[in-house]
Amino acid sequence: MSRIFPKILASPIEYLKGVGPHRADMLRKELQISSFRDLLEFYPYRHVDKSRINTINEISAGTEFIQIAGILGALNILGEGRTRRLVSEIKDATGSLQLVWFQSISWMQRTLNPGFRYLVYGKLSFFNGEPQLTHPEMESFTQEKGPEAFPLQPVYPSTEKLKARGLGGRQLSKFTHQLFSQLRENDIPEFLPGQILESLSLTPRFQAFKDIHFPASPAAYLDSLNRLKFDEMFLNQIRTGMIKSQRQKNSRGVVFEQVGPLFNEFYSKVLPFELTGAQKRVLKEIRRDTATGKQMNRLLQGDVGSGKTMVALLTMLLAADNGFQSCLLAPTEILSRQHADHFRELLKDLPISVALLTGTVKSAARKKILHELASGSLNILIGTHAIIEDAVQFRNLGLAIIDEQHRFGVAQRAKLWKKAGIPPHVLVMTATPIPRTLAMTAYNDLDYSIIDELPPGRQPVRTVQRYEYNRPKVMDFIKDEIKKGRQAYIIFPLIEESEKLDYENLLKGYENVKAYFPEPPYYISMVHGRQKPIVRETNMKRFISGETQIMVATTVVEVGVNIPNASVMLIESAEKFGLSQLHQLRGRVGRGNEQSFCILLSGNKLGKDARERLNIMCETTDGFRIAEKDMELRGPGDIAGTRQSGILDFKLADIVRDKNILQQAIRSADRVLAEDPELQLADHALLRGQLMQERGKTVWSRIS
Ligand code: ADP
Ligand code: MG
């Protein structure tokens, strides 16, 4: 092994010639460079083109950086105190240019040799109208060729602290250059199969590392960047792909053998509509998974209103048909209750029991539920975090469904697993779509289903943006809708850092709404996080039953609530919301057959990003497009909690901008794994070795 993977890259950085223990310490602390490999992967953020040598008579008022080759003049110290400086000049065939140093004067005096030939590089400044270079880089022509020999000079990020100790970007480039003089091609083995290398015309790996630091041309630099980005994404894809197949191979799961009477009876007699093609396809995928004897670990993606809940219900019936209990975890009390009511209503004529368990369930009722769960007489449990508590023990939990994924931490979900001897099948339903490219990368190790079709007959929500000065008209519009028998949401932002302020805004907003909609004939519900649960419930119920026509709320209604009669979603201070939140909120309307409206009310002045967000909302109702746009605007790290997962910690690659490379990486990785799932072919030995070296990186091997 050691012959194939020489250990030189693992050497501590202090062993690099010219570094030593003291500087190594600073590099570690300031730049997290502790090994040769870290230095190798400490990439320049740009290059300076020094291939061109200017002449002094070329200098004009617009000149910025210049490089002059010439003879160094005499060194003179001028001035006192703060103006004390070392002054000289560089002379070429066309003229002379002044050079000035304010610092390291004695050192410069000692090392510079007047009368010798130098290459001088720096940023031009003008003093009293005269051009000069302050603290230029000086390179003696007699010196041995260092990193300066390369036309494109790497520029590395450094810190003020390091610069003050002589460890600026220039010194870093010397270290990197030194590193390459100690490395041989074998030290950075080529792990890509020749076929991939050739078909994609990728720069060989050693060359790529060299070129990213010291490229011979801009094209060589771009090629190296392309290659190293490819590697990051390719290795990620291989790694997660292997984790997935390992899990599929090793995990044990309960078997749902048959589709039984509960499922069939419900499907033929109760189901109030025809399933969409996408819903049917996903059910088939779930059915296939749960019959294999392996544990299902599936992410179900679908746009708001695409009917994920029905898929959940049918899967629970499948579990019950096979003698297993199931549970559905929802993020809020309101949502749990709504699911429970909905399920009970739909299942009332079937021999199956549904219970709701939340923090507010009284102790007697709670005892009863726990007893029924343990004895196995209860089939379906719906609830909030309360379900996860240790006291909650199932007789034979076979399926756990998690609605609106991102609100549960990984650790919380893991607790669910322990509630059964063989871990239950897990189905996680996302709240809003995740961009496809992100899902393919971040969730590659999961099984993944997608509902990409809305139930028929849905009219897209008509979305408009209005400014504060339009408010009276907007309110009149809502009045008209209420006259037609519809209901309206009015949503205020909730930003955690300024909770108190938001709360005050909400109350002010509520008073304002009341002024437009006096009681009677108008009745208003208000719902927010500071209310006692019972107050919130009551308000919610009155709106659901139609007693109140308007619901003033913070984003607590964001997730899942289903009130088909509501036709207006007015979002106050819409510019303060993120795209996925706006999309979620809009999804609360347009659930019935009537035309629905979403009004994005904003302050009179909008920033560029806010304007773009509101525009895209008005342009489309396609959650996948919105998710892609969101990722473009915010970067992938902020979407759906992937930042914590550590998976998308690419140093160079960016899954938004480098979509094409990503696609190549995915295709190549899939092909490799299809041919050799465990990387046992001789052709893949080096690839396998590379993965072993990178082990220890965080991965989401499971969603729960
Ligand atoms: P989400 O995917 O956002 O959780 P829901 O499951 O709440 O969506 O479904 C939204 C609405 O669409 C519900 O009222 C539901 O009853 C209805 N629905 C679901 N599937 C269909 C279908 N195939 N045909 C018609 N309506 C459907
Ligand atoms: Mg839902």
Side-chain angles (χ1 to χ4, degrees):
M1 248 351 222
S2 62
R3 201 180 51 82
I4 309 179
F5 296 106
K7 296 222 169 67
I8 183 164
L9 286 180
S11 314
I13 194 67
E14 63 183 277
Y15 296 145
L16 187 74
K17 201 175 150 209
V19 176
H22 181 63
R23 289 168 141 190
D25 208 41
M26 290 201 291
L27 289 174
R28 247 192 314 269
K29 280 193 190 126
E30 292 287 305
L31 302 174
Q32 286 78 51
I33 297 176
S34 50
S35 67
F36 284 19
R37 175 186 303 281
D38 294 337
L39 182 64
L40 184 71
E41 293 181 359
F42 190 75
Y43 303 121
Y45 64 93
R46 69 186 176 99
H47 289 84
V48 175
D49 186 355
K50 290 198 186 167
S51 59
R52 212 178 113 58
I53 295 179
N54 311 90
T55 53
I56 292 174
N57 66 356
E58 273 181 72
I59 292 173
S60 71
T63 308
E64 267 206 296
F65 288 91
I66 54 159
Q67 174 161 266
I68 306 287
I71 307 289
L72 185 67
L75 300 167
N76 296 303
I77 293 180
L78 302 178
E80 290 290 329
R82 281 176 51 201
T83 63
R84 192 176 123 91
R85 60 198 187 275
L86 179 70
V87 177
S88 182
E89 60 174 14
I90 187 87
K91 236 188 220 164
D92 70 4
T94 69
S96 71
L97 174 65
Q98 196 166 93
L99 310 177
V100 184
W101 291 266
F102 292 94
Q103 273 145 39
S104 316
I105 290 176
S106 47
W107 194 74
M108 294 310 297
Q109 227 179 349
R110 253 181 290 133
T111 49
L112 291 174
N113 294 309
F116 281 72
R117 224 174 133 66
Y118 280 87
L119 194 60
V120 180
Y121 176 83
K123 191 173 177 184
L124 202 70
S125 57
F126 289 87
F127 186 72
N128 290 338
E130 287 297 312
Q132 63 176 35
L133 290 175
T134 311
H135 290 257
E137 291 174 16
M138 305 291 293
E139 186 197 345
S140 156
F141 269 100
T142 54
Q143 267 171 16
E144 189 189 330
K145 282 212 165 176
E148 299 83 5
F150 289 85
L152 290 169
Q153 287 290 300
V155 182
Y156 297 93
S158 185
T159 67
E160 286 309 318
K161 230 186 194 158
L162 287 177
K163 278 182 201 156
R165 312 270 175 93
L167 282 175
R170 200 170 149 72
Q171 186 58 45
L172 287 168
S173 89
K174 283 193 177 147
F175 289 157
T176 312
H177 190 258
Q178 174 61 33
L179 175 65
F180 275 103
S181 73
Q182 288 180 229
L183 289 180
R184 284 158 309 131
E185 218 162 313
N186 276 348
D187 296 328
I188 306 179
E190 179 56 71
F191 60 74
L192 279 184
Q195 196 268 331
I196 294 179
L197 213 53
E198 266 162 47
S199 68
L200 298 175
S201 323
L202 294 170
T203 305
R205 193 163 157 87
F206 180 80
Q207 188 65 42
F209 273 110
K210 214 167 173 174
D211 286 354
I212 200 166
H213 292 284
F214 300 108
S217 68
Y221 173 74
L222 291 178
D223 285 347
S224 71
L225 202 56
N226 185 68
R227 164 67 205 259
L228 296 177
K229 284 176 176 178
F230 179 90
D231 285 2
E232 287 181 346
M233 301 201 272
F234 175 79
L235 289 170
N236 175 64
Q237 212 63 22
I238 293 271
R239 188 183 317 111
T240 50
M242 286 178 78
I243 288 170
K244 180 174 170 178
S245 58
Q246 283 292 325
R247 178 169 52 70
Q248 283 171 340
K249 215 174 87 183
N250 299 332
S251 77
R252 217 151 61 91
V254 295
V255 181
F256 296 171
E257 258 165 25
Q258 50 156 352
V259 177
L262 287 167
F263 188 103
N264 286 330
E265 175 99 358
F266 180 84
Y267 198 87
S268 57
K269 303 224 177 95
V270 185
L271 187 64
F273 38 70
E274 171 85 16
L275 291 184
T276 62
Q279 283 170 316
K280 286 183 189 163
R281 190 188 63 236
V282 170
L283 273 170
K284 265 190 208 137
E285 289 165 350
I286 291 173
R287 166 107 182 82
R288 197 191 54 215
D289 272 16
T290 52
T292 57
K294 307 289 178 199
Q295 189 214 14
M296 174 176 79
N297 224 253
R298 183 168 285 277
L299 181 72
L300 173 56
Q301 269 235 72
D303 207 344
V304 182
S306 61
K308 297 183 286 288
T309 314
M310 192 49 74
V311 171
L313 176 57
L314 285 162
T315 308
M316 291 175 121
L317 292 177
L318 180 65
D321 267 335
N322 289 279
F324 289 98
Q325 294 170 303
S326 53
C327 66
L328 171 62
L329 234 78
T332 64
E333 171 114 17
I334 293 172
L335 198 58
S336 313
R337 179 164 308 246
Q338 197 172 49
H339 279 319
D341 291 347
H342 185 204
F343 283 17
R344 279 194 189 118
E345 173 62 26
L346 286 169
L347 300 175
K348 63 178 189 290
D349 295 328
L350 294 175
I352 186 168
S353 51
V354 178
L356 172 71
L357 183 63
T358 66
T360 60
V361 171
K362 297 264 159 41
S363 84
R366 190 178 140 85
K367 246 187 205 147
K368 184 164 171 278
I369 291 174
L370 293 187
H371 178 74
E372 288 174 359
L373 269 185
S375 75
S377 65
L378 183 62
N379 305 100
I380 293 178
L381 181 66
I382 297 176
T384 53
H385 291 77
I387 292 187
I388 304 178
E389 285 163 20
D390 291 334
V392 180
Q393 292 295 332
F394 293 79
R395 186 177 147 81
N396 62 348
L397 181 66
L399 169 70
I401 300 182
I402 301 170
D403 194 9
E404 323 294 6
Q405 184 223 38
H406 62 282
R407 304 220 168 181
F408 285 101
V410 177
Q412 289 173 318
R413 288 185 245 134
K415 285 185 100 176
L416 264 180
W417 282 60
K418 308 222 171 85
K419 293 192 181 294
I422 298 178
H425 296 301
V426 177
L427 182 68
V428 174
M429 306 194 288
T430 59
T432 41
I434 298 165
R436 280 168 221 270
T437 42
L438 182 67
M440 279 193 289
T441 330
Y443 301 107
N444 185 42
D445 53 337
L446 305 177
D447 307 300
Y448 166 65
S449 289
I450 186 166
I451 304 186
D452 49 6
E453 183 185 354
L454 291 181
R458 289 278 172 79
Q459 295 190 51
V461 178
R462 209 176 286 164
T463 305
V464 294
Q465 189 227 321
R466 292 288 180 265
Y467 292 102
E468 188 53 43
Y469 60 76
N470 298 125
R471 183 179 290 276
K473 270 197 179 159
V474 168
M475 293 301 162
D476 285 346
F477 175 79
I478 294 178
K479 273 187 186 158
D480 288 344
E481 283 293 298
I482 291 175
K483 243 181 239 148
K484 290 191 221 155
R486 313 264 189 278
Q487 291 165 284
Y489 293 97
I490 301 180
I491 306 293
F492 288 81
L494 180 78
I495 305 155
E496 268 155 39
E497 308 90 72
S498 60
E499 207 189 317
K500 187 159 171 286
L501 191 69
D502 286 331
Y503 180 61
E504 283 163 12
N505 277 342
L506 175 73
L507 295 188
K508 229 187 282 161
Y510 175 64
E511 291 306 320
N512 190 18
V513 174
K514 256 180 30 188
Y516 278 103
F517 299 93
E519 187 178 310
Y522 301 104
Y523 297 92
I524 305 172
S525 282
M526 179 160 67
V527 175
H528 59 81
R530 288 198 168 190
Q531 284 165 323
K532 290 217 176 82
I534 181 76
V535 177
R536 195 159 60 218
E537 291 286 304
T538 311
N539 273 291
M540 197 74 206
K541 272 189 194 145
R542 293 181 69 211
F543 189 66
I544 293 173
S545 70
E547 246 178 277
T548 57
Q549 306 103 329
I550 297 175
M551 162 116 88
V552 171
T554 55
T555 46
V556 289
V557 302
E558 181 190 336
V559 277
V561 194
N562 192 24
I563 299 164
N565 189 49
S567 67
V568 182
M569 168 62 65
L570 169 61
I571 303 177
E572 297 267 359
S573 307
E575 72 273 26
K576 292 192 183 157
F577 290 82
L579 266 178
S580 78
Q581 222 176 7
L582 289 173
H583 182 61
Q584 257 293 320
L585 286 168
R586 177 168 60 183
R588 298 308 107 209
V589 297
R591 300 189 151 233
N593 293 324
E594 314 305 329
Q595 175 66 58
S596 291
F597 305 88
C598 175
I599 305 164
L600 307 169
L601 200 59
S602 73
N604 294 337
K605 263 200 185 138
L606 285 178
K608 179 171 164 288
D609 270 13
R611 184 182 306 278
E612 231 177 299
R613 283 199 301 274
L614 300 185
N615 279 348
I616 187 94
M617 285 297 295
C618 296
E619 259 167 45
T620 182
T621 55
D622 178 346
F624 286 94
R625 256 196 75 196
I626 290 172
E628 294 282 351
K629 189 77 193 174
D630 198 18
M631 192 162 77
E632 260 173 51
L633 289 174
R634 288 198 299 160
D638 285 330
I639 313 263
T642 49
R643 174 152 288 163
Q644 293 93 311
S645 78
I647 277 186
L648 297 176
D649 251 354
F650 297 136
K651 280 203 169 98
L652 295 168
D654 174 320
I655 67 168
V656 181
R657 272 176 299 159
D658 302 318
K659 232 191 235 170
N660 293 339
I661 309 177
L662 176 63
Q663 245 129 38
Q664 290 178 338
I666 290 174
R667 244 179 282 134
S668 307
D670 285 352
R671 215 172 295 146
V672 166
L673 290 180
E675 185 198 352
D676 183 16
E678 308 202 344
L679 302 184
Q680 281 166 341
L681 298 180
D683 236 17
H684 299 145
L686 290 165
L687 174 55
R688 197 181 166 77
Q690 181 69 29
L691 285 170
M692 311 266 273
Q693 278 188 10
E694 296 193 1
R695 231 168 23 181
K697 282 195 182 173
T698 334
V699 258
W700 262 24
S701 58
R702 283 168 173 167
I703 38 175
S704 53

